[in-house]
Amino acid sequence: GNSVTQMEGPVTLSEEAFLTINCTYTATGYPSLFWYVQYPGEGLQLLLKATKADDKGSNKGFEATYRKETTSFHLEKGSVQVSDSAVYFCALKDAGKSTFGDGTTLTVKP
Amino acid sequence: DTGVSQNPRHKITKRGQNVTFRCDPISEHNRLYWYRQTLGQGPEFLTYFQNEAQLEKSRLLSDRFSAERPKGSFSTLEIQRTEQGDSAMYLCASSLALSGTDENPQYFGPGTRLTVL
């Protein structure tokens, strides 16, 4: 079956630091890949997506590239802000349904 | 577009009682999904509909769980004879599915938090 593995958290960074959250996946088909973010007290929101190999998704300074050869979709941001503090979920969508990782909690300190 | 809405937002019940949750998707979306999320984990797929047809149910979904989407718009999720292990956040999501692709993301509601005492 399909699965998503995210780097374990929590991750604590200082403002303006570089962020990487690793995500690898296993899928039987050709999935689309997504990053969702959940801010404190809020629901899941789409952050970015990539639908085929070598696609790069980007939004709000975050980027992730669909790497089929390494089955990875790592999330990066060059300079994090306090407002980026949230839980980040990597997900794949295949045959209609989504499979999520367990989330990585990011805390950014001023 | 008001997004996906769910009611109630919180539900506290006693073990053995039945509960029903409602989800109203984004109006033009033809797919509707139910997930369950427990603390420290990602959403876990339960079931999904395309229009009024239930296309898939998770093997994790026991017979006590049933979902409907009678007119292809809103959906209900019912849990019969609740157990303490059913305590979780129940999430609804919707998407616009185009033929032959899985590109479109899901948009999530705020969830219904169920506590079974």
Side-chain angles (χ1 to χ4, degrees):
Chain A
N2 296 340
S3 66
V4 175
T5 302
Q6 287 182 235
M7 69 183 275
E8 292 188 14
V11 174
T12 302
L13 296 173
S14 297
E15 207 164 22
E16 299 183 2
F18 184 86
L19 168 71
T20 299
I21 301 178
N22 289 340
C23 171
T24 58
Y25 68 90
T26 303
T28 52
Y30 299 94
S32 296
L33 302 176
F34 303 86
W35 277 99
Y36 288 86
V37 59
Q38 188 168 31
Y39 298 104
E42 299 185 14
L44 280 161
Q45 303 175 24
L46 175 69
L47 181 59
L48 53 83
K49 72 173 188 178
T51 57
K52 60 183 185 296
D54 300 324
D55 268 3
K56 178 185 283 188
S58 60
N59 185 28
K60 300 181 181 179
F62 291 90
E63 293 183 340
T65 301
Y66 190 143
R67 300 288 188 198
K68 189 176 179 183
E69 64 277 11
T70 55
T71 61
S72 65
F73 192 53
H74 305 321
L75 182 68
E76 296 182 337
K77 187 174 185 181
S79 176
V80 294
Q81 306 300 313
V82 172
S83 57
D84 294 327
S85 297
V87 183
Y88 292 82
F89 292 91
C90 184
L92 68 84
K93 191 159 175 253
D94 184 29
K97 68 183 185 190
S98 290
T99 302
F100 287 81
D102 285 338
T104 302
T105 300
L106 170 66
T107 302
V108 180
K109 296 188 173 180
Chain B
D1 182 357
T2 57
V4 179
S5 62
Q6 293 186 246
N7 288 289
R9 295 292 304 276
H10 303 272
K11 179 71 177 177
I12 299 174
T13 190
K14 293 183 178 179
R15 189 177 51 170
Q17 298 296 304
N18 299 342
V19 295
T20 300
F21 310 141
R22 177 179 171 125
C23 171
D24 288 89
I26 293 171
S27 57
E28 63 268 27
H29 285 181
N30 53 358
R31 282 197 179 168
L32 186 149
Y33 308 78
W34 286 100
Y35 291 86
R36 177 171 60 193
Q37 186 178 22
T38 53
L39 196 62
Q41 296 194 333
E44 176 185 45
F45 171 78
L46 294 179
T47 187
Y48 85 99
F49 295 83
Q50 177 147 328
N51 300 314
E52 65 276 9
Q54 189 172 18
L55 296 189
E56 189 170 346
K57 287 175 61 172
S58 168
R59 284 170 289 178
L60 302 174
L61 208 62
S62 78
D63 291 344
R64 297 184 295 106
F65 288 72
S66 62
E68 295 183 342
R69 194 183 184 198
K71 296 183 179 179
S73 57
F74 74 92
S75 175
T76 58
L77 177 68
E78 181 183 17
I79 309 174
Q80 296 182 327
R81 305 180 303 280
T82 53
E83 301 172 357
Q84 288 184 326
D86 297 331
S87 295
M89 178 74 86
Y90 289 84
L91 299 173
C92 177
S94 69
S95 71
L96 179 62
L98 303 175
S99 178
T101 72
D102 255 322
E103 295 183 0
N104 288 341
Q106 299 168 353
Y107 294 85
F108 283 82
T112 295
R113 182 169 295 284
L114 172 66
T115 301
V116 181
L117 302 176

